[in-house]
Amino acid sequence: MALVVTVSQINRRLALMLKGDKDLQNISVRGEISNLKYHTSGHIYFSVRDDSASIKAVMFRSYAEKLNITLENGMNVVVTGAVQFYERDGVCQLYAYSIDQEEGVGDGALSFEQLKNKLNEEGLFEQKRPLPEIPRSICVVTSETGAAIKDIMNVLSRRYPFVKVKLISVLVQGAEAPESIADGINKAQDSGCDLIIFGRGGGSAEDLSAFNAEVVARAVFASKIPTISAVGHEIDFSISDFVADVRAATPSAAAEIAVPDINDIMNRLEAKRDRIREMALDRIAAGEMQMNNVFSHIELFHPKNKIESDEKNLNRSFALIKKDFANLISKKEMQLKNTAELVDAFDPFKTLERGYSIVFKDNAAIISVNSLKEGDKIKIKLSDGEINALITQ
């Protein structure tokens, strides 16, 4: 009888086996970064891949804070760390201590850019056709067992349940996926559908790589039916995203774009019905208003109204003139008062009332002792009279 163990026991044993391999506890791995994510916690999550394989990796914040480079997808690096088994999720991971950048970009990123530039120069990215406003039928090119078809059907049935959906099941992952996806798009050409949605649910960069294949891009470009790319990734773009007429971030978003909301259509119909009713009522009201305007026009030009209007204008003008005249008198009185106060303030004889006096010689005011000599007769003016005096010294 085979040994019966729990999942925890298996994962624990695998973890101990890896930890016991000393070579794996301090090892440097050369590869290309993909699926990079800087977490808010300060940890960095990513994968290291080569042409045929990839391994998940994490660099915890304590090591990430010492990192002197900014990581990017497609970067060639050498990652030094320990390979361990994460027991809870059953995942083998590389726990990075340090990361050194190597020159150039990884083969995957380089191939992506080369193909992207090639197809762009050929004009495959320029074809952008409008989508049908209300499609009668839609072809969905994806895996029949994936989450994408379920998400798309859920959204379509909620938004516009009248649309017909035809599923063309294809492989969306693996070496045979690109040819399978391209064949599915080609088959959709004879389906009689108004619109094609192709794609898959989310995954790693490696999982989504089939949609970067040239054969898929050319099949999308050759499609006679408008296309929506619905590859399940919100940030990064695949080659098929650039070629498709419309790119959706997820399969659910593609379904949202593909069909209108039945509730919006009903609301628009109700709004049009209400508008027609309002227009009819407005026409009736306009006729009544025209009739009332005729009577008002007759009343408006009655001589009595003209006399009353002129009388009101005359009274209003008189009141304004009276007000302006009163303001002018008040302003002039204030100016006169200010002028009198200013003249009074500069009257030299006012100073005599405070105990000062003015000395005259020959009716001219003396302002310096140098103007006098012994024997001169002077006159001293006080506030209440004058005094004649003789200069003795």
Side-chain angles (χ1 to χ4, degrees):
M1 181 178 177
L3 178 64
V4 178
V5 296
T6 64
V7 175
S8 298
Q9 290 172 326
I10 292 176
N11 287 0
R12 181 59 179 164
R13 185 165 184 174
L14 291 173
L16 291 173
M17 289 174 61
L18 287 177
K19 187 170 286 189
D21 190 333
K22 300 302 181 183
D23 291 337
L24 295 178
Q25 300 312 302
N26 187 19
I27 193 169
S28 295
V29 181
R30 174 179 285 109
E32 174 185 343
I33 288 181
S34 65
N35 303 313
L36 177 65
K37 180 180 181 181
Y38 279 85
H39 197 270
T40 55
S41 63
H43 306 329
I44 305 174
Y45 297 92
F46 57 100
S47 297
V48 183
R49 70 177 185 180
D50 56 23
D51 293 339
S52 57
S54 69
I55 183 172
K56 292 182 180 294
V58 59
M59 174 175 268
F60 292 127
R61 183 176 64 182
S62 56
Y63 293 106
E65 290 174 344
K66 302 174 184 177
L67 197 62
N68 57 7
I69 59 173
T70 301
L71 302 181
E72 296 179 0
N73 283 320
M75 180 183 289
N76 270 338
V77 294
V78 174
V79 182
T80 301
V83 179
Q84 298 182 12
F85 194 81
Y86 188 35
E87 296 182 37
R88 192 194 71 180
D89 295 341
V91 177
C92 182
Q93 289 189 130
L94 174 60
Y95 291 81
Y97 305 146
S98 66
I99 302 176
D100 296 312
Q101 181 180 2
E102 294 196 322
E103 291 188 4
V105 296
D107 293 338
L110 182 61
S111 298
F112 178 91
E113 287 300 323
Q114 288 176 342
L115 179 58
K116 178 182 172 184
N117 293 334
K118 172 187 174 181
L119 298 180
N120 187 32
E121 290 175 0
E122 293 182 24
L124 268 67
F125 298 168
E126 297 176 3
Q127 176 179 272
K128 301 301 175 187
R129 294 165 294 188
L131 303 182
E133 186 175 353
I134 304 180
R136 293 171 299 174
S137 58
I138 298 175
C139 270
V140 181
V141 180
T142 188
S143 171
E144 62 182 350
T145 59
I149 185 61
K150 296 178 182 178
D151 293 340
I152 290 172
M153 293 302 298
N154 287 337
V155 174
L156 292 179
S157 61
R158 169 175 56 82
R159 285 179 64 83
Y160 194 73
F162 307 110
V163 68
K164 296 179 181 179
V165 180
K166 181 178 180 180
L167 170 65
I168 299 179
S169 183
V170 297
L171 298 174
V172 294
Q173 189 170 332
E176 299 177 2
E179 288 290 345
S180 179
I181 297 167
D183 289 343
I185 293 173
N186 293 332
K187 289 177 182 178
Q189 305 305 307
D190 300 323
S191 64
C193 294
D194 306 316
L195 181 65
I196 297 174
I197 299 175
F198 68 92
R200 58 157 292 162
S204 65
E206 292 75 21
D207 295 337
L208 307 175
S209 61
F211 294 91
N212 290 325
E214 182 174 357
V215 65
V216 175
R218 296 197 179 279
V220 174
F221 181 76
S223 174
K224 300 176 183 178
I225 303 171
T227 57
I228 300 178
S229 174
V231 184
H233 54 120
E234 296 193 12
I235 300 176
D236 298 325
F237 280 75
S238 66
I239 296 294
S240 60
D241 288 333
F242 294 107
V243 183
D245 294 302
V246 174
R247 182 252 182 183
T250 63
S252 296
E256 295 273 353
I257 296 170
V259 296
D261 191 337
I262 187 65
N263 294 321
D264 291 340
I265 294 176
M266 294 301 296
N267 290 336
R268 286 200 297 268
L269 290 175
E270 290 180 2
K272 288 183 178 179
R273 182 193 62 189
D274 294 340
R275 180 57 183 161
I276 291 172
R277 182 187 296 114
E278 290 177 1
M279 289 174 64
L281 294 175
D282 289 344
R283 291 289 295 273
I284 295 172
E288 293 178 347
M289 185 176 294
Q290 282 183 328
M291 185 173 61
N292 292 333
N293 285 341
V294 171
F295 290 111
S296 299
H297 191 73
I298 295 172
E299 179 68 21
L300 179 64
F301 288 95
H302 194 284
K304 179 188 67 174
N305 295 332
K306 176 65 173 175
I307 294 172
E308 290 177 353
S309 176
D310 291 344
E311 185 178 358
K312 288 180 180 178
N313 290 334
L314 182 62
N315 291 335
R316 190 159 42 246
S317 299
F318 181 75
L320 290 174
I321 293 172
K322 183 178 179 181
K323 181 179 179 181
D324 290 343
F325 191 69
N327 291 337
L328 179 61
I329 293 175
S330 177
K331 182 179 179 180
K332 293 300 181 181
E333 288 178 345
M334 182 62 69
Q335 290 177 345
L336 181 61
K337 180 181 177 182
N338 291 339
T339 302
E341 291 176 351
L342 188 62
V343 170
D344 189 59
F346 284 94
D347 185 356
F349 294 105
K350 289 288 185 179
T351 309
L352 302 180
E353 296 177 357
R354 298 199 300 271
Y356 293 91
S357 62
I358 303 175
V359 178
F360 292 92
K361 176 185 175 184
D362 300 329
N363 295 323
I366 300 301
I367 59 174
S368 171
V369 294
N370 295 325
S371 301
L372 300 174
K373 63 181 181 297
E374 290 184 14
D376 284 346
K377 295 180 180 180
I378 61 172
K379 183 184 293 182
I380 302 173
K381 185 173 178 59
L382 303 174
S383 62
D384 57 350
E386 295 177 352
I387 300 172
N388 291 320
L390 181 68
I391 299 298
T392 60
Q393 184 178 357

